[in-house]
Amino acid sequence: MQKASALLVLAAVLVAARSSAGQSEVAAIWQDPTFQKQFVGGYGIHSELEPKVEKKELALLEQVRPLMAEQQFAKAEALLTEAIAGDGSAILVFTLGGIQFQQERLPEALENHRLAVAKFPSFRRAWRNLGFLHARMGNHDETIKSFTRFVELGGSDAYAYGFLGHAHMAKGDLQPAEASFRNALLLQPDNTQWRHGLVQCVVKQKKFEDAVALLDVLITNNPEKPEFWLLQAHAYLGLKQPLRAAENFEVLDRLSRGTIDTSFT
């Protein structure tokens, strides 16, 4: 009984730590190779919801794109800055902002992306990048505004929905957070961050059956993670199934961990 009580205390600690650890989850996404590939690939030219590109600009972008792919950012920026001098088009300031974003020059990148959507309000890719910028800077309201506009313009992207979920959850708005994580998970069913974000949302709303089912997948894929076993035990207790919770406690005991890793909480 004392062991179960101690584990329940640890469960409370896990829940209490969700905010700071949630930031760690978001930070991990920036290192995701799939995300990085999609981010760089987003500078290609698409026919829909794009500013009109003049022939001279197209030739310039064809010069800039391989430089960006090779991370020769200084050369690419110099070409764009010279072309933009005075009053650059939406596509050029957007591309310049993207170069600055990749170099962690966030205030400059933010200014150019804002300028891009001011010049071309239906510029979907610019709204998407604005969302990523605001998410990176911790601006939850602006993250929500930007990604919502991206979706309104027909965008459908797992990372956009995932960051939108994190922003809503940070504000304590659990229903749109849940919907966002479900959309992200639909597009990337193997993404642990989206599934765990959804678990947090449903647990906070006392949707314990959903939590148990979601945690079944997390536990199957990550059986060494005691926090998932512990959260599921908490969900079983919420469902008034103490025997199922006890089974999870037994697994936790066998894991013989001295501390509980809260990196997913």
Side-chain angles (χ1 to χ4, degrees):
M1 187 68 179
Q2 290 179 344
K3 184 183 295 183
S5 298
L7 288 168
L8 285 174
V9 170
L10 285 171
V13 172
L14 289 174
V15 173
R18 65 188 180 275
S19 178
S20 60
Q23 294 174 356
S24 298
E25 282 189 358
V26 171
I29 296 165
W30 297 107
Q31 305 304 319
D32 184 332
T34 303
F35 171 76
Q36 292 176 351
K37 182 178 180 180
Q38 288 187 11
F39 183 86
V40 173
Y43 297 113
I45 296 183
H46 303 282
S47 60
E48 59 178 9
L49 297 169
E50 293 286 329
K52 183 179 179 181
V53 182
E54 303 295 336
K55 288 184 178 181
K56 182 169 65 174
E57 294 175 332
L58 182 58
L60 175 62
L61 291 171
E62 289 299 327
Q63 288 182 269
V64 167
R65 186 162 48 182
L67 293 174
M68 294 176 67
E70 296 168 7
Q71 297 189 0
Q72 297 185 46
F73 297 127
K75 290 183 180 180
E77 185 169 353
L79 288 171
L80 285 166
T81 302
E82 181 180 358
I84 289 171
D87 184 29
S89 69
I91 191 70
L92 294 186
V93 295
F94 164 77
T95 307
L96 178 59
I99 292 173
Q100 293 161 340
F101 193 173
Q102 289 184 268
Q103 296 178 88
E104 301 289 326
R105 291 158 56 190
L106 302 187
E108 295 168 87
L110 184 64
E111 180 180 353
N112 278 311
H113 280 84
R114 282 176 169 164
L115 182 57
V117 296
K119 289 174 176 288
F120 195 84
S122 62
F123 197 170
R124 189 169 68 190
R125 286 187 296 148
W127 281 110
R128 178 178 183 264
N129 279 12
L130 268 175
F132 290 136
L133 273 162
H134 285 300
R136 189 65 177 269
M137 299 171 79
N139 304 329
H140 302 309
D141 287 331
E142 292 300 319
T143 298
I144 292 168
K145 175 183 175 181
S146 299
F147 281 133
T148 299
R149 182 61 180 143
F150 168 71
V151 172
E152 287 174 346
L153 291 168
S156 181
D157 177 281
Y159 294 103
Y161 279 122
F163 280 109
L164 187 58
H166 279 294
H168 279 301
M169 190 161 62
K171 291 175 61 64
D173 202 353
L174 298 177
Q175 290 180 333
E178 178 183 348
S180 298
F181 281 126
R182 288 191 186 279
N183 281 325
L185 196 59
L186 179 67
L187 296 172
Q188 286 185 344
D190 296 328
N191 189 299
T192 299
Q193 285 90 351
W194 310 151
R195 191 174 297 273
H196 191 254
L198 182 54
V199 167
Q200 293 180 45
C201 287
V202 297
V203 166
K204 289 176 180 297
Q205 296 176 82
K206 301 187 185 303
K207 298 179 179 180
F208 296 120
E209 289 186 8
D210 283 355
V212 167
L214 289 163
L215 284 159
D216 275 340
V217 177
L218 287 173
I219 287 170
T220 298
N221 295 333
N222 306 273
E224 78 289 353
K225 292 287 187 179
E227 60 269 34
F228 294 155
W229 293 96
L230 193 53
L231 282 171
Q232 193 178 57
H234 177 73
Y236 279 131
L237 290 174
L239 291 170
K240 302 189 185 305
Q241 297 181 21
L243 294 180
R244 296 297 301 272
E247 292 175 4
N248 281 41
F249 288 144
E250 288 177 9
V251 174
L252 281 164
D253 190 38
R254 290 198 299 271
L255 287 173
S256 300
R257 296 292 182 90
T259 59
I260 298 297
D261 177 9
T262 61
S263 63
F264 284 87
T265 307

